[in-house]
Amino acid sequence: MPKVLLPLKGSEKVGLIGLGTSTRGVAEVLAHSGIGTLTLRAKETIPSLLPPSFAVRCYTGDTVYDEIWEDILFFSPSARREDPRLLAAKSRGCRFSSDAELFFDNTHAPVFAVTGSDGKSTTATLTSLLLSGGAYDVRLAGNIGRALSPLLFSEGRNTLTVAELSSFQLQYLSPRTRRAVITNLTPNHLNWHKDFAEYKEAKSHLLTYAEDAVLSADDEGCVSLFSGIRPFAVFSVRESLSSLLRYRARHVFTLSEEAICLDGRRLLPLSEIRLPGVYNIKNFMAAIALSMGYTDEERILSVARTFSGISHRAELVATRGGVRYVDSSIDSSPARTLSTLSALTDPPILLIGGKGKGVPFDSLIPTILSSARAIVLFGETGEEIFSLLAADGRSDKPPILRAKSFRDAVRLAVREAKPGDTVLLSPASTSFDEFRNFEERGDIFREEVLALTKDLPDPMI
């Protein structure tokens, strides 16, 4: 497919498929390129979200793909491109692109890219922090919530970009990057991808044109993608240095003597890492590997000591009446919930449910039955999980509560909690039944907790 290179002539007929963060970013670029008219094709169109300089023609509902006459279509990451009307337009010469594709087609800055089923936002954020603080102008964007393409206007000689990329973005993109990592691979987004094989194939596109590729050796799916690829670095929390030498990587990260070790040398004591959990040790290994040659040990130690995580990712939002309330709304898959539960030392009151994405919950059931003090279910998947819990024959099940809505679930959890408990929001599902995104779900969790416990003491204040 021909690239979309800047600057555009200004005479191209351009359309946006969907109107979210990424396509609004594209519109910002187009406004600088002299494009005056846009077609907006989306389920719901809100032209006021676009720069006021545009004349906008809208297609909504069943007419979204009618009368495709544009020269270029920029797609939202969540929009697939196999509709026959789109394919007919493509055969007529219409170019397809997206925020991420526009960025990678035009950037000249080194890009450090992260994808994976879990941990990609934390790894990308850690990488950006490790790269910062010196001579570089570091920007973090992509699936983490900031459009990539507007960064093109601020590139300089010392610019570095850290890009978090989703399987949706990589489905149609094989980006050129300075360094790249796939954190892990577990079934995810199977309501969008045709199957796990397609999901895995999309993730593999990140390795196609990476100058240096970093391998997560503890993940069989990642290892399978490195056939014929010699890693720049390999990391593991399970294997020894001698075992990992089989990958012939230039650098090896291991866990030994209560520290992250680089090529057998102690680099970062675990006691210095503020974030809890083995999965965050892996995130640090991946981020350090990505930033090697661009950071130093002093910076690594500083970031480890000060970085406390990203909002909605196992975030402590309040301690009221002796109860800890933890928001991990980002946990939109069973694998993420399993990781979050593994980092806790005491059984939590678990809020779980939401909207499904085609991923089964069977593997999650034994863990939540053995790891939760109580289980509060809500949403579409809450009913699915309840059926699986009911079918389990064990007699010592924790209390199982069913809520009418998310807010009701929070109320039930607060009512159930006793001093010493942890109330954990780790839904294992998407938020799209009641909310626009996982951030809104997490914000409502915090809002409800603070309102319901306002008369209880909070030692965090």
Side-chain angles (χ1 to χ4, degrees):
M1 194 69 186
K3 295 180 178 180
V4 177
L5 299 176
L6 298 175
L8 296 174
K9 298 175 184 177
S11 58
E12 293 93 341
K13 302 179 183 68
V14 181
L16 304 180
I17 307 291
L19 187 56
T21 299
S22 65
T23 44
R24 291 201 300 273
V26 170
E28 183 180 335
V29 174
L30 296 176
H32 282 82
S33 301
I35 300 294
T37 302
L38 276 181
T39 304
L40 177 55
R41 300 174 179 271
K43 291 181 180 179
E44 296 181 356
T45 59
I46 310 175
S48 61
L49 295 177
L50 296 171
S53 58
F54 287 118
V56 182
R57 181 177 181 181
C58 298
Y59 291 83
T60 61
D62 295 335
T63 70
V64 166
Y65 296 143
D66 285 357
E67 304 172 5
I68 297 177
W69 44 269
E70 294 93 333
D71 301 310
I72 306 171
L73 287 175
F74 290 97
F75 287 76
S76 166
S78 62
R80 293 193 66 106
R81 306 182 186 183
E82 290 79 21
D83 186 282
R85 292 165 292 182
L86 292 172
L87 297 178
K90 184 177 180 180
S91 68
R92 293 194 298 269
C94 179
R95 286 179 285 171
F96 291 178
S97 189
S98 66
D99 168 59
E101 288 165 90
L102 183 63
F103 171 77
F104 280 102
D105 284 348
N106 292 275
T107 186
H108 298 290
V111 179
F112 300 77
V114 182
T115 193
S117 301
D118 307 309
K120 55 185 178 291
S121 293
T122 298
T123 299
T125 302
L126 284 170
T127 302
S128 71
L129 292 172
L130 292 174
L131 295 173
S132 301
Y136 303 110
D137 170 27
V138 181
R139 297 94 55 80
L140 172 62
N143 187 64
I144 201 164
R146 181 186 183 191
L148 281 158
S149 55
L151 301 181
L152 295 169
F153 297 114
S154 58
E155 280 191 2
R157 293 179 59 185
N158 295 319
T159 293
L160 302 177
T161 300
V162 180
E164 181 195 322
L165 299 173
S166 70
S167 62
F168 298 168
Q169 292 167 309
L170 290 167
Q171 178 74 20
Y172 307 101
L173 170 67
S174 295
R176 294 190 178 276
T177 61
R178 173 68 187 88
R179 204 165 282 166
V181 67
I182 303 173
T183 57
N184 49 52
L185 286 171
T186 57
N188 208 344
H189 301 299
L190 299 187
N191 60 330
W192 192 89
H193 287 285
K194 295 175 182 177
D195 49 33
F196 182 50
E198 184 190 80
Y199 171 77
K200 184 176 175 181
E201 172 68 20
K203 294 289 192 182
S204 74
H205 293 170
L206 189 65
L207 304 177
T208 305
Y209 299 114
E211 292 180 39
D212 292 333
V214 176
L215 169 60
S216 173
D218 293 337
D219 189 280
E220 293 181 5
C222 291
V223 171
S224 70
L225 298 181
F226 272 75
S227 177
I229 300 175
R230 182 180 178 181
F232 164 75
V234 59
F235 66 89
S236 170
V237 298
R238 297 200 297 255
E239 295 194 53
S240 66
L241 173 61
S242 60
S243 174
L244 292 172
L245 292 178
R246 70 186 186 277
Y247 293 110
R248 300 186 302 116
R250 288 169 57 188
H251 300 286
V252 178
F253 290 85
T254 54
L255 183 60
S256 179
E257 299 178 2
E258 293 298 307
I260 292 176
C261 297
L262 170 59
D263 300 328
R265 179 179 63 85
R266 282 172 62 90
L267 175 65
L268 179 61
L270 300 187
S271 59
E272 300 287 0
I273 300 176
R274 187 172 178 182
L275 287 178
V278 173
Y279 58 93
N280 279 315
I281 296 173
K282 293 182 180 181
N283 293 337
F284 260 98
M285 287 179 168
I288 296 170
L290 283 177
S291 58
M292 287 185 68
Y294 297 82
T295 191
D296 55 37
E297 292 188 26
E298 182 180 353
R299 183 66 183 172
I300 292 171
L301 186 60
S302 174
V303 171
R305 287 173 171 170
T306 57
F307 181 64
S308 59
I310 311 173
S311 296
H312 312 299
R313 293 157 174 85
E315 177 190 12
L316 179 63
V317 298
T319 301
R320 293 284 179 87
V323 178
R324 300 171 74 251
Y325 293 90
V326 177
D327 166 19
S328 202
S329 184
I330 185 66
D331 297 349
S332 61
S333 70
R336 289 202 70 116
T337 293
L338 286 171
S339 292
T340 299
L341 287 171
S342 72
L344 298 182
T345 56
D346 297 313
I349 297 173
L350 176 64
L351 284 84
I352 185 167
K355 186 172 178 60
K357 50 182 178 179
V359 179
F361 293 94
D362 304 68
S363 62
L364 185 60
I365 301 306
T367 300
I368 62 176
L369 283 173
S370 61
S371 300
R373 189 185 81 67
I375 302 166
V376 183
L377 303 167
F378 59 92
E380 169 189 296
T381 59
E383 291 303 305
E384 181 180 348
I385 294 168
F386 176 78
S387 297
L388 293 170
L389 293 171
D392 188 284
R394 72 185 69 192
S395 58
D396 58 342
K397 295 177 184 177
I400 300 172
L401 310 174
R402 298 163 77 182
K404 298 176 182 177
S405 66
F406 179 74
R407 290 179 186 270
D408 184 44
V410 180
R411 286 192 287 271
L412 289 174
V414 170
R415 188 184 308 161
E416 178 73 17
K418 298 177 176 61
D421 278 338
T422 295
V423 172
L424 170 66
L425 170 62
S426 180
S429 312
T430 74
S431 58
F432 301 128
D433 52 345
E434 296 187 61
F435 308 104
R436 291 170 296 180
N437 48 46
F438 74 85
E439 292 96 340
E440 184 183 20
R441 177 170 61 188
D443 291 342
I444 295 300
F445 174 72
R446 176 196 292 266
E447 175 187 304
E448 286 293 310
V449 164
L450 296 180
L452 292 165
T453 62
K454 64 180 184 296
D455 296 327
L456 298 175
D458 183 357
M460 295 176 63
I461 297 177

